[in-house]
């Protein structure tokens, strides 16, 4: 698997990945999440232009396994984020279901951590659903821990307030942190 910076041509494909990655939320009764529109091209471009958008490319084996021809070199997952209060905040990491359970998300997160370390940031943060198996429980398995309310930085409080305004608090959510290794 190859991780690389996203290109402008990748951005519509990232929206397709996001739509596909949202579908499993239907099985949990989270239809609104499954139906949510992916990040707008303008927002994805902002992350890309800042150097904070990366993709994992598919390989020949993934194309054969998934039945999708031509996946070699095509994005199968992406991660976007930005520095927030001294840490790199992962805004979104999404893996196409055809590439799931192969360590793609973990590899993207490790890549983001390396870039964050290069920038002198102290750790990684993210917000996620607590009761979705591929959200908070997954992040705990890869070294993140839930932050208590007093531990939230001003930037994380602002992110959580924005999420609440968008209705994401219909389901339990948490801010998580992982220190740089």
């Amino acid at each position: 698997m190859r991780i690389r910076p996203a290109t402008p041509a990748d951005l519509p494909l990232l929206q397709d990945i996001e739509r596909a990655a949202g579908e499993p939320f239907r099985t949990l009764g989270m239809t609104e999440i499954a139906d949510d529109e992916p990040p707008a091209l303008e927002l994805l471009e902002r992350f890309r232009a800042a150097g904070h958008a990366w993709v994992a490319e598919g390989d020949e084996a993934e194309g054969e396994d998934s039945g999708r021809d031509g996946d070699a070199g095509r994005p199968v997952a992406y991660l976007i984020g930005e520095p927030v209060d001294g840490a790199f905040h992962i805004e979104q990491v999404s893996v196409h279901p055809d590439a799931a359970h192969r360590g793609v998300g973990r590899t993207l997160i490790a890549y983001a951590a390396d870039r964050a370390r290069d920038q002198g940031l102290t750790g990684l943060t993210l917000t996620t659903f607590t009761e979705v198996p591929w959200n908070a429980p997954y992040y705990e398995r890869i070294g993140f821990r839930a932050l208590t309310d007093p531990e939230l930085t001003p930037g994380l409080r602002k992110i959580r307030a924005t999420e609440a305004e968008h209705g994401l608090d219909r389901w339990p959510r948490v801010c998580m942190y992982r220190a740089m290794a």
Side-chain angles (χ1 to χ4, degrees):
M1 162 185 357
R2 179 176 170 238
I3 307 295
R4 62 170 173 77
T7 67
D10 292 328
L11 302 184
L13 299 173
L14 304 189
Q15 291 179 314
D16 293 341
I17 291 167
E18 186 66 26
R19 285 184 190 97
E23 282 302 310
F25 284 92
R26 286 187 200 289
T27 65
L28 302 176
M30 297 172 76
T31 306
E32 294 89 343
I33 301 302
D35 290 341
D36 194 36
E37 282 299 309
L41 291 174
E42 296 78 22
L43 178 62
L44 292 170
E45 173 56 24
R46 182 175 66 82
F47 285 107
R48 189 204 66 76
H52 297 139
W54 302 287
V55 299
E57 291 183 343
D59 60 29
E60 293 299 332
E62 286 168 353
E64 292 168 13
D65 290 349
S66 69
R68 292 168 39 194
D69 294 329
D71 275 353
R74 269 181 70 108
V76 297
Y78 76 96
L79 185 150
I80 57 175
E82 62 190 339
V84 173
D85 299 334
F88 187 79
H89 183 74
I90 299 171
E91 177 66 26
Q92 186 67 38
V93 58
S94 293
V95 178
H96 194 286
D98 290 344
H101 309 292
R102 298 182 187 165
V104 177
R106 182 185 312 243
T107 301
L108 272 167
I109 291 167
Y111 188 89
D114 288 345
R115 304 295 73 77
R117 189 178 300 104
D118 293 346
Q119 295 176 30
L121 300 172
T122 61
L124 301 174
T125 61
L126 55 83
T127 60
T128 194
F129 296 110
T130 61
E131 297 173 2
V132 174
W134 57 90
N135 279 194
Y138 168 77
Y139 294 118
E140 286 175 359
R141 287 193 303 275
I142 64 169
F144 283 83
R145 68 172 180 84
L147 294 173
T148 62
D149 194 64
E151 292 177 295
L152 297 182
T153 65
L156 290 175
R157 287 183 190 284
K158 183 177 177 183
I159 289 166
R160 284 294 296 122
T162 300
E163 290 177 348
E165 288 172 13
H166 288 114
L168 292 179
D169 282 1
R170 279 192 54 201
W171 304 276
R173 289 186 66 77
V174 66
C175 288
M176 301 186 84
Y177 175 80
R178 184 173 93 183
M180 293 298 178

